[in-house]
């Protein structure tokens, strides 16, 4: 076997007593692409964050290049030649490719004077060696996402990185840009670099990876050569045993129920295209899709905090204008957004003020908030949702994740909505709080409301919903009946390459570029 | 394992005591600083604790206090207003010119002319920041220059004097033996305190400053709220301008140069976070009082105004340092 770059065993990490990773294990050899697989909550991110020095482990050993390491920061990790490439890496957009590559390590002419000629020369040399077709003097803002990733890789290589961690690098880039990225990765591994590759797109793993490691529920499950496993077995290992969930009974006798939310042909650019669905009283409709499938953009567009360019949203018989969340709330829509800390709550404000925020107008007379009513509302909601806090005057930021999410739901319910939109309603909260939230959503639907819930956790949707809409690349691919589906079928549907049509497109693209130098690099910028 | 919903320290009694102490130091820090300042000054100067001196301090604080209250709205909503002093001078000049031409009984018109000028300037700021998305620092820096320039153009660079008697009352009159500027400060404070604490608008100001995206999710018209904070700041600057002009018995084109710094300093010393969303008007009031007291005290001690600037600047930086460390 080739030289081992990373040997990690028994790595564990807990947050406030809640374990996120119980036993992480991974062996990365030089020259291989190693797929790290696992569902949400499997502990992948925690493991990678420890490896990158963003978190410190509670237990276990990590050896890099044969010696045990305790990274305190990402720069410690970089010193041991570990670098990470993600979508979120934000280059300095107004600087050139060359300047970004050598940021902080600019070649000098005299002390304090940057040698601009040398920067460009060295950057060109590096990009040529890597066969990356990116012009060193271009501004980052003119590059496509895939090219930005190539620049980030070049930057990592220029810092002598031998271990690259790539977290969902293809989630936002197109088909042939992916090919460019893959050929770049193969060249790097041929030169002895080890790559830890994370992607929900299983096809990619089979195309690219040499070995795989599966985590599930915070534990290492198995590892092996990619050749020895097929797709079905990999999905099985990722999902584990299907948990027998308490399923909600299929909606019986509700065919005459009132349609609450009707969406027809909703589109916005390439983010989501021609999506139609309708929700009746009592419905809990799920949306399942991978990162970059346009699910959040769609929900934001429906509610009005994100753009939509065409299509019609009708709520209880009245049309909702785009980008008017205030109107949506007034007509009976409420939304639990994906990121409660950013767009869900005002963290520095008291619980009470958060609960009442969207309906202050209703609580007020002549613009003056009637404090008694507000206090009563807050007390009622805290009790209804069992928010555990000593007082509703505490800042919401001081609560645990589960209780913060309950405050978000309290705020949503305060406006007495008919339809609730939930984007990842249980992200980052513990199992107990999750079950409480599921029950609240069920009760809401049973009381004559409707819920549209998007989640990247398949079990959650199977447990909650009667139907699940599968999103893929901005399109609603199909509806599946939750009662007849398993986690495997959901993951399968959402990640499957539409072999026939896309295969054809693929060949077409290839031939189109075959007379040019490299496929993909002619691709659309931006 | 049961994770506690609220973070609690290991020893309840001890942590309670330290939490209380910390709470007092953090929330009443301004009050403590103010008292300390007064103790030091009263030991250094026999005049400091006299009735006359205090009326003087508060009267001097009134103008800065009114400006600072307006700026508090803007900063709470996550913005900044650098233009208040220039707007104040412009409005003072406009009101003064109306006062010299209109008859004495039209004092209402004079005040309205001044306030309307300030409101307009504030609305322009608000429009630039909230609707055209120009950074607040740049938009109001522009207004700082434009309003000052307009003041010189309007006055032709000369003072406007011969103000009418009712106009002068705003600076030198009394209500129930209390100087009008002090009453004005008290009224402005009370109305604004109520607005921030009890009205829907006030609560939206805090929400927009605390998290603009959360405010949008909750259907708050963040642009309108933001624009209105600048309008309030402009209108209050106008009110301060009328009082300042009346007190100096003439509208001077160069009146109140750099007053915006004292106003922002008062807000910051008062514990309002420059990031928005956190702060109180009572803090701003004490911030203004502290600045007034420092100015007065250093005068009494015969320290030159050059040193006063150094002391004031250090205090502003110290106050922000406190704010930063408070947020860990």
């Amino acid at each position: 076997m080739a030289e081992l770059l990373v040997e990690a065993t028994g790595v564990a990490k807990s947050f406030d007593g809640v374990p996120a990773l119980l036993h992480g294990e991974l062996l990365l050899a030089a020259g291989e692409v190693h797929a790290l697989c696992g569902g949400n909550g499997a502990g992948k991110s925690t493991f990678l964050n420890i490896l990158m020095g963003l978190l410190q482990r509670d237990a276990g050993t990590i050896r890099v290049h044969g010696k045990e390491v305790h990274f305190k920061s990402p720069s410690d990790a970089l010193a041991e030649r570990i670098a990470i490439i993600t979508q979120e890496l934000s280059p300095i957009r107004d600087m050139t490719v060359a300047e970004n590559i050598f940021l902080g390590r600019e070649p000098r002419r005299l002390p304090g004077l940057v040698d601009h000629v040398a920067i460009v020369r060295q950057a060109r040399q590096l990009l040529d060696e890597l066969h990356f077709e990116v012009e060193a003097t271009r501004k980052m803002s003119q590059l496509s996402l895939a090219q930005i990733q190539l620049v980030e890789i070049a930057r990592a290589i220029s810092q002598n990185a031998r271990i690259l961690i790539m977290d969902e690098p293809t989630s936002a880039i197109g088909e042939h840009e992916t090919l460019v990225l893959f050929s770049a990765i193969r060249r790097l591994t041929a030169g002895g670099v080890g790559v830890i590759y994370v992607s929900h797109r299983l096809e990619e793993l089979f195309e690219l990876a040499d070995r795989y490691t599966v985590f599930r529920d915070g534990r290492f499950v198995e590892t092996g050569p990619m050749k020895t496993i097929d797709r079905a077995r990999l999905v099985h290992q990722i999902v584990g045993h299907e948990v027998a969930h308490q399923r909600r009974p299929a909606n019986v006798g509700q065919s005459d129920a009132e349609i609450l939310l009707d969406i027809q042909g909703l589109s916005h650019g390439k983010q989501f295209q021609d999506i139609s669905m309708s929700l009746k009283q009592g419905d809990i409709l799920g949306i399942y899709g991978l990162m970059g499938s346009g699910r959040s953009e769609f929900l934001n567009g429906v509610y009005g905090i994100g753009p939509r360019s065409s299509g019609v949203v009708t709520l209880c018989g009245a049309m909702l204008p785009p980008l008017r969340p205030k109107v949506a709330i007034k007509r009976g829509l409420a939304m639990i957004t994906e990121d409660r800390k950013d767009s869900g709550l005002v963290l520095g404000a008291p619980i009470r003020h958060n609960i009442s925020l969207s309906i202050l107008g209703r609580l007020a007379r002549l613009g003056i908030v009637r404090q008694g009513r507000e206090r009563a509302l807050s007390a009622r909601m805290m009790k209804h949702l069992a928010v555990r806090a000593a007082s509703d005057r505490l800042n919401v930021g001081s609560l645990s994740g589960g209780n913060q999410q309950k405050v978000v739901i309290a705020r949503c319910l305060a406006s007495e909505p008919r339809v609730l939109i939930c984007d990842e309603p249980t992200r980052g909260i513990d199992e107990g709080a999750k079950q409480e939230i599921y029950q609240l959503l069920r009760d809401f639907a049973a009381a004559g409301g409707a819920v549209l819930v998007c989640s990247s956790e398949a079990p959650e949707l199977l447990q909650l919903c009667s139907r699940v809409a599968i999103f893929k690349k901005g399109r609603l691919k199909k509806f599946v009946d939750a009662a007849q589906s398993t986690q495997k079928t959901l993951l399968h549907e959402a990640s499957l390459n539409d072999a026939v049509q896309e295969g054809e497109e693929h060949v077409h693209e290839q031939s189109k570029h075959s007379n040019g130098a490299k496929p993909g690099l002619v691709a659309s910028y931006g | 394992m049961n994770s506690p919903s609220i973070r609690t320290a290991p020893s309840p009694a001890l942590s309670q005591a330290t939490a209380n102490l910390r709470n007092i130091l953090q929330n009443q820090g301004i009050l403590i600083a103010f008292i300390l300042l007064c103790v030091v000054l009263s030991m250094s100067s026999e005049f400091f604790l006299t009735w006359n001196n205090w009326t003087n301090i508060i009267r001097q604080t009134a103008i800065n206090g009114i400006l600072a209250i307006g700026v508090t709205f803007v900063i709470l909503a996550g913005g900044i207003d650098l233009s208040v002093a220039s707007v104040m001078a412009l409005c003072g000049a406009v009101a003064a010119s109306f006062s010299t031409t209109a008859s004495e009984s039209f004092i209402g018109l004079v005040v309205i002319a001044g306030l309307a000028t300030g409101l307009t300037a504030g609305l322009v700021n608000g429009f630039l920041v909230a609707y055209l998305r120009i950074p607040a620092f740049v938009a109001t820096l522009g207004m700082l220059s434009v309003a000052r320039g307009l003041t010189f153009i309007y006055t032709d660079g000369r003072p406007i004097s011969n103000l009418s008697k009712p106009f002068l009352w705003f600076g030198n009159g009394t209500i129930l033996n209390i100087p009008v500027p002090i009453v004005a400060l008290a009224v402005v404070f009370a109305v604004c305190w109520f607005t921030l604490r009890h009205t829907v608008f006030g609560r939206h100001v805090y929400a927009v400053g605390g998290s603009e995206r959360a405010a949008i999710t909750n259907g708050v018209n963040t642009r309108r709220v933001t624009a209105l904070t600048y309008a309030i700041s402009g209108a209050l600057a106008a009110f301060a301008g009328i009082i300042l002009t009346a007190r100096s018995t003439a509208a001077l084109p160069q009146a109140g140069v750099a007053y915006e710094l004292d106003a922002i300093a008062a807000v910051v010393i008062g514990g309002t976070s420059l990031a928005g969303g956190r702060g109180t008007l009572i803090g701003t009031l004490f911030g203004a009082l502290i600045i007034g007291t420092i100015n007065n005290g250093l005068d009494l001690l015969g320290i030159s105004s050059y040193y006063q600037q150094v002391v004031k600047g250090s205090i502003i930086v110290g106050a922000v340092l406190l704010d930063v460390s408070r947020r860990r």
Side-chain angles (χ1 to χ4, degrees):
Chain A
M1 194 170 176
E3 173 204 356
L4 278 178
L5 298 177
V6 176
E7 302 159 74
T9 50
V11 181
K13 177 77 187 173
S14 300
F15 298 102
D16 297 329
V18 181
L21 183 64
L22 293 160
H23 181 97
E25 185 174 320
L26 186 105
L27 301 179
L28 176 71
E32 72 171 2
V33 176
H34 196 122
L36 179 58
C37 312
N40 283 72
K44 280 180 318 206
S45 334
T46 309
F47 178 80
L48 293 178
N49 282 336
I50 291 170
L51 193 55
M52 287 182 306
L54 284 170
L55 294 172
Q56 276 80 53
R57 61 184 184 267
D58 298 339
T61 55
I62 298 179
R63 271 196 285 273
V64 175
H65 308 301
K67 80 170 196 272
E68 175 138 16
V69 292
H70 288 273
F71 298 144
K72 294 203 169 49
S73 71
S75 56
D76 288 357
L78 196 59
E80 293 298 333
R81 305 168 73 181
I82 299 180
I84 179 153
I85 316 291
T86 61
Q87 289 297 340
E88 280 95 50
L89 270 185
S90 40
I92 302 177
R93 299 181 58 82
D94 285 328
M95 285 172 49
T96 63
V97 169
E99 285 166 340
N100 265 282
I101 290 176
F102 291 106
L103 191 64
R105 304 167 292 125
E106 296 87 353
R108 307 288 159 90
R109 203 172 359 204
L110 290 167
L113 285 184
V114 175
D115 188 341
H116 288 285
V117 180
I119 279 196
V120 173
R121 194 183 58 233
Q122 291 181 22
R124 277 198 183 129
Q125 197 181 342
L126 176 68
L127 292 166
D128 281 351
E129 276 167 24
L130 295 167
H131 296 271
F132 292 175
E133 294 216 350
V134 184
E135 174 47 48
T137 53
R138 289 192 80 146
K139 288 260 163 69
M140 289 302 276
S141 55
Q142 297 173 310
L143 302 188
S144 70
L145 270 171
Q147 288 179 312
I148 290 174
Q149 286 185 333
L150 293 182
V151 173
E152 293 291 350
I153 293 171
R155 178 176 155 79
I157 298 301
S158 76
Q159 291 165 298
N160 293 321
R162 284 206 69 203
I163 300 159
L164 279 184
I165 300 171
M166 308 190 80
D167 194 358
E168 296 278 358
T170 57
S171 62
I173 67 178
E175 205 73 46
H176 44 243
E177 298 197 293
T178 304
L179 289 180
V180 177
L181 189 68
F182 284 3
S183 63
I185 292 174
R186 289 202 189 94
R187 255 193 301 276
L188 292 175
T189 51
V193 170
V195 176
I196 299 175
Y197 192 90
V198 177
S199 175
H200 281 106
R201 298 188 177 168
L202 300 183
E203 262 71 21
E204 281 180 15
L205 303 182
F206 285 99
E207 197 181 328
L208 182 69
D210 305 300
R211 293 178 68 81
Y212 70 92
T213 290
V214 177
F215 282 11
R216 189 170 66 227
D217 302 328
R219 289 176 198 280
F220 166 80
V221 176
E222 70 168 29
T223 186
M226 211 72 210
K227 280 189 227 106
T228 62
I229 192 166
D230 63 8
R231 185 190 163 92
R233 181 164 158 75
L234 185 60
V235 169
H236 179 81
Q237 289 299 351
I238 292 170
V239 173
H241 295 287
E242 290 279 332
V243 194
H245 287 301
Q246 174 202 349
R247 292 270 168 89
R248 69 189 292 276
N251 308 353
V252 225
Q254 293 206 351
S255 53
D256 59 335
E258 182 194 346
I259 290 180
L260 294 180
L261 180 67
D262 187 55
I263 298 162
Q264 291 301 328
L266 214 64
S267 304
H268 184 72
K270 284 196 163 175
Q271 292 186 332
F272 51 90
Q273 292 169 31
D274 195 26
I275 291 173
S276 303
M277 56 176 67
S278 72
L279 278 85
K280 288 180 184 164
Q281 276 190 315
D283 268 350
I284 302 185
L285 176 62
I287 293 180
Y288 185 77
L290 302 180
M291 255 177 78
S293 63
R295 45 183 202 193
S296 295
E297 291 80 0
F298 166 70
L299 292 181
N300 290 345
V302 171
Y303 180 65
I305 53 175
R308 60 178 204 240
S309 31
S310 62
V312 179
V313 179
T314 314
L315 181 70
C316 305
M319 263 175 41
L320 282 188
L323 289 174
R324 295 292 299 277
K326 191 178 180 178
V327 176
I329 293 168
K330 207 170 166 186
R331 302 237 172 104
L333 196 58
M335 178 161 178
I336 299 166
T337 51
E338 190 179 8
D339 184 351
R340 63 175 165 268
K341 290 184 185 208
D342 180 36
S343 56
L345 295 167
V346 184
L347 286 179
I351 297 168
R352 185 189 296 176
H353 290 187
N354 270 285
I355 290 177
S356 63
L357 182 55
S358 65
I359 56 155
L360 279 176
R362 282 186 225 175
L363 293 173
R365 192 198 292 138
L366 299 173
I368 296 161
V369 180
R370 283 178 282 189
Q371 314 258 340
R373 285 189 166 206
E374 186 185 26
R375 203 177 311 127
L377 167 80
S378 164
R380 184 159 49 85
M381 282 298 168
M382 298 259 296
K383 193 166 166 237
H384 177 45
L385 298 181
V387 178
R388 279 174 281 276
S391 150
D392 66 354
R393 316 202 66 145
L394 286 171
N395 280 356
V396 87
S398 67
L399 301 182
S400 70
N403 279 302
Q404 286 184 4
Q405 194 67 350
K406 286 185 190 173
V407 173
V408 174
I409 299 175
R411 182 260 290 162
C412 287
L413 296 182
S415 65
E416 295 173 356
R418 302 293 308 277
V419 179
L420 208 51
I421 296 178
C422 314
D423 195 357
E424 301 284 355
T426 62
R427 174 176 285 181
I429 66 181
D430 65 77
E431 194 55 37
K434 269 186 192 177
Q435 294 301 333
E436 285 179 75
I437 286 173
Y438 295 158
Q439 196 52 48
L440 284 163
L441 296 180
R442 283 191 201 106
D443 292 347
F444 178 80
V451 181
L452 183 55
V453 55
C454 164
S455 174
S456 45
E457 294 184 40
E460 177 162 298
L461 294 177
L462 293 175
Q463 201 180 342
L464 268 174
C465 308
S466 43
R467 281 183 306 155
V468 177
I470 308 285
F471 271 47
K472 188 158 183 275
K473 294 184 178 167
R475 291 187 178 274
L476 202 174
K477 205 173 146 205
K478 61 169 5 175
F479 286 100
V480 298
D481 189 347
Q484 273 136 48
S485 307
T486 60
Q487 294 174 49
K488 282 175 209 161
T489 51
L490 289 193
L491 184 58
H492 194 71
E493 292 287 356
S495 67
L496 195 65
N497 262 330
D498 306 307
V500 188
Q501 344 141 224
E502 280 194 12
E504 277 171 4
E505 266 173 40
H506 216 215
V507 174
H508 181 64
E509 298 282 359
Q510 289 272 35
S511 62
K512 203 165 58 183
H513 293 302
S514 57
N515 42 3
K518 289 271 184 311
L521 284 177
V522 208
S524 58
Y525 298 127
Chain B
M1 191 167 166
N2 223 351
S3 72
S5 51
I6 302 164
R7 287 185 212 133
T8 46
S11 156
L14 183 71
S15 73
Q16 188 62 40
T18 52
N20 279 346
L21 186 66
R22 198 186 305 146
N23 203 26
I24 290 170
L25 283 176
Q26 278 176 0
N27 295 329
Q28 318 298 331
I30 321 144
L31 191 63
I32 293 170
F34 181 63
I35 293 170
L36 255 139
L37 189 66
C38 292
V39 170
V40 171
L41 286 174
S42 59
M43 288 192 297
S44 326
S45 164
E46 55 195 295
F47 297 110
F48 181 73
L49 275 183
T50 58
W51 176 252
N52 271 345
N53 190 44
W54 272 96
T55 333
N56 202 14
I57 290 177
I58 299 175
R59 195 158 47 192
Q60 279 171 356
T61 299
I63 289 160
N64 185 34
I66 292 172
L67 285 181
I69 286 170
V71 173
T72 306
F73 277 85
V74 176
I75 292 181
L76 277 178
I80 188 79
D81 191 349
L82 301 175
S83 69
V84 284
S86 300
V87 171
M88 171 177 76
L90 177 64
C91 298
V94 169
S97 72
F98 270 68
S99 156
T100 53
T101 50
S103 113
E104 287 197 0
S105 50
F106 283 120
I107 183 65
L109 183 73
V110 172
V111 172
I112 287 169
L115 291 181
T117 308
L119 195 66
T120 309
L123 282 172
V124 170
N125 278 336
F127 181 75
L128 292 174
V129 174
Y131 292 90
L132 299 186
R133 299 266 158 203
I134 294 172
F137 192 94
V138 177
T140 60
L141 188 63
M143 182 58 77
L144 179 153
S145 183
V146 168
R148 182 65 66 184
L150 287 177
T151 314
F152 275 96
I153 295 168
Y154 191 78
T155 59
D156 211 8
R158 285 189 291 265
I160 301 176
S161 46
N162 293 326
L163 304 174
S164 69
K165 239 176 124 187
F167 193 104
L168 291 173
W169 174 84
F170 281 101
N172 306 320
T174 58
I175 297 173
L176 300 173
N177 258 343
I178 305 169
V180 172
I182 296 178
V183 177
L185 175 64
V187 170
V188 167
F189 174 80
V191 171
C192 290
W193 179 85
F194 184 85
T195 304
L196 274 178
R197 200 179 160 83
H198 290 281
T199 66
V200 174
F201 168 72
R203 295 277 292 278
H204 283 175
V205 169
Y206 277 98
V208 169
S211 165
E212 191 176 4
R213 293 196 53 190
I216 290 171
T217 304
N218 283 288
V220 176
N221 189 337
T222 53
R223 289 180 173 187
R224 193 170 63 198
V225 169
T226 304
L228 278 176
T229 60
Y230 289 93
I232 290 172
S233 180
L236 288 180
F239 196 39
I242 291 169
I243 294 170
L244 177 71
T245 307
R247 258 174 67 75
S248 41
T249 67
L252 309 170
Q254 72 277 22
V257 167
Y259 271 32
E260 68 276 348
L261 298 183
D262 272 5
I264 294 167
V267 178
V268 171
I269 292 172
T272 295
S273 159
L274 277 174
R278 206 162 42 81
T280 59
L281 264 196
I282 189 91
T284 298
L285 194 66
F286 270 105
L289 263 179
I290 285 182
I291 290 180
T293 310
I294 292 168
N295 285 343
N296 174 271
L298 296 179
D299 277 344
L300 287 183
L301 298 179
I303 293 169
S304 94
S305 66
Y306 302 152
Y307 283 97
Q308 293 187 18
Q309 295 182 34
V310 174
V311 171
K312 229 158 46 183
S314 312
I315 287 176
I316 295 167
V317 175
V320 176
L321 190 67
L322 204 75
D323 180 55
V324 172
S325 62
R326 198 188 313 196
R327 278 189 284 165
R328 278 155 288 211

